[in-house]
Structure formats: C-alpha cells, structure tokens
Amino acid sequence: DIQLTQSPASLSASPDEIVTITCQASQDIGSSLLWYQQKPGKSPQLLIYSATILADGVPSRFSGSRSGTQYSLKISRLQVEDIGTYYCLQVSSSLTFGSGTKLEIK
Amino acid sequence: QVTLKESGPGILQPSQTLSLTCTFSGFSLSTYGMGVGWIRQPSGKGLEWLANIWWDDDKYYNPSLKNRLTISKDTSNNQAFLKITNVDTADTATYYCARIAENWEGWYFDFWGPGTMVTVSS
C-alpha cells in the first residue's frame, strides 16, 4: 500500500503569511495527487488535482508543486477564510489520504 | 448543476449490514469518464476512501475492507450504493459520496455530498 506522510499536523499563521503543507509519498505516484480543504462541519472541497493543477473556482493564492515523491500545497497570502483542515489524497493505486493538517489563524 | 446526497439508516446494531444510497443529479454514470466514490470520516478524525464505481461498471475497493464492501449503481435512477457487511463500532462515521470526474490531465473527486452520519451501537 502507498502511504502518505502529511506535515505538519497543525499550524497557526497570520493573515498574508505564506503557508506550506507537504505530503511525502512512500513510493512513486507520479502526478496522481490531489489536495482538499475541509472547513468545520462541511464536506471536503477540491483545491488541486494532478499535483499542480488548480481546480475550477479555487483562488490563485493556492498552488501545488511536486519534487520527486514530495508534494506541497502553498497558500501564498493566507486569508481568514482559509481556516480548516487540509488533506492530500493519492489516486495512483488504491487511494489513500494523508492524515490532515489543521490550519488556524493567529 | 451537480449535486449529490447520501442517505442511510442513521443507527444500526453490530453485525448488521449497512446500506447507503447516493442520489445525484447534474451528471450521468453512463457518461464516459464519470464515476462515484464513497469516503468516510469518523467524528474528529481523518478521511478514509472506501470504494469507487465507474461509468463502465469497473469497481475498486479499499483492500483493508474489501471483503465487507459492495458498490453498485442504478444508472437509470441516478443512484449509487454501498453495502458494508458485519458492521461494528469502528464503522461509526460520516459517510460521503463524491463524483469522480476525469479529463486528460487526471481524475479527481470534484463534487461531494453533505454526508450522512451512521452510528453503530448495541
């Protein structure tokens, strides 16, 4: 099974800061990685697919990147409405989610 | 406009079979590249993928639960189903269904239902 190690588990940042969340895959998954945002009490929302492609309607301050088997989600200028939990999901083989990163605003 | 909505029993007893229905609109499961997946989330915990079904009736299951899961669809009525046999308290969770969309760049769950809470308790 492919494992995703997501970090950090939680973070607190101020508005306008740059925030980076990473997922390390246990083996090569190519570009088969997605990022989701889940706000409290809501369903997850797609942010990024194919590791780097911004989903429709997602603000351009969100971006995804890949370096080998490490994947990153970057929020370039954090906004208050970005609070929530972020998950990566690999769809290369027998889907697995990362453990989540809870983002809070200072 | 794509919408999905899950429905289930709410509460059931250990060893019973959990039957979930996803009723959707705005797309068809007979369209090339479309699919529906099921994902669950225990309260306060992370997401766990359960199963996918595709337009051509291909089915994929989480290996750790495969023996207990059955996914199916009713294309005519725009519904997808998931059955989980022999439930126990560890199956207590919110269950989501989500549309799978595919393009030349990849596939993804793009639209999700609001979720249905299922409690397994004696």
Side-chain angles (χ1 to χ4, degrees):
Chain A
D1 289 5
I2 297 173
Q3 308 299 320
L4 289 177
T5 304
Q6 186 172 344
S7 61
S10 64
L11 72 103
S12 180
S14 301
D16 291 333
E17 275 193 42
I18 296 173
V19 167
T20 301
I21 299 167
T22 63
C23 268
Q24 178 70 49
S26 60
Q27 62 190 76
D28 182 18
I29 59 170
S31 294
S32 299
L33 189 104
L34 318 176
W35 288 99
Y36 288 88
Q37 175 196 62
Q38 186 178 32
K39 297 190 177 183
K42 300 294 186 181
S43 306
Q45 288 196 305
L46 179 67
L47 298 174
I48 300 285
Y49 66 96
S50 296
T52 61
I53 301 175
L54 197 66
D56 288 347
V58 176
S60 58
R61 64 180 180 274
F62 291 91
S63 63
S65 63
R66 170 195 173 192
S67 176
T69 56
Q70 180 163 294
Y71 301 80
S72 298
L73 174 71
K74 178 179 161 184
I75 309 174
S76 60
R77 291 186 63 184
L78 189 66
Q79 305 294 304
V80 172
E81 60 264 30
D82 297 334
I83 61 166
T85 302
Y86 291 78
Y87 294 93
C88 54
L89 167 64
Q90 68 82 16
V91 297
S92 172
S93 172
S94 187
L95 286 62
T96 47
F97 284 91
S99 53
T101 296
K102 187 173 182 180
L103 174 59
E104 297 175 332
I105 304 293
K106 282 182 184 174
Chain B
Q1 180 187 3
V2 173
T3 65
L4 303 97
K5 187 170 184 180
E6 309 85 351
S7 57
I11 186 165
L12 69 167
Q13 294 185 337
S15 81
Q16 291 186 320
T17 295
L18 170 60
S19 294
L20 298 166
T21 299
C22 175
T23 302
F24 54 85
S25 64
F27 69 100
S28 172
L29 260 180
S30 61
T31 300
Y32 178 90
M34 287 291 164
V36 167
W38 286 93
I39 302 99
R40 71 181 179 182
Q41 185 173 38
S43 180
K45 298 191 177 180
L47 299 162
E48 180 181 33
W49 170 71
L50 299 175
N52 289 349
I53 189 165
W54 292 84
W55 63 281
D56 58 358
D57 212 36
D58 260 355
K59 300 165 187 174
Y60 297 88
Y61 295 100
N62 184 323
S64 67
L65 295 162
K66 184 175 181 178
N67 291 341
R68 300 174 52 214
L69 301 177
T70 304
I71 193 169
S72 60
K73 61 182 173 71
D74 179 349
T75 303
S76 300
N77 289 307
N78 285 342
Q79 291 181 315
F81 310 97
L82 183 71
K83 290 187 188 296
I84 307 178
T85 59
N86 193 26
V87 297
D88 69 11
T89 55
D91 296 308
T92 295
T94 295
Y95 286 77
Y96 298 100
C97 65
R99 185 182 82 158
I100 298 170
E102 183 177 34
N103 60 29
W104 66 275
E105 292 167 318
W107 71 266
Y108 38 84
F109 299 118
D110 58 353
F111 290 92
W112 294 58
T116 186
M117 289 186 62
V118 174
T119 301
V120 179
S121 174
S122 55

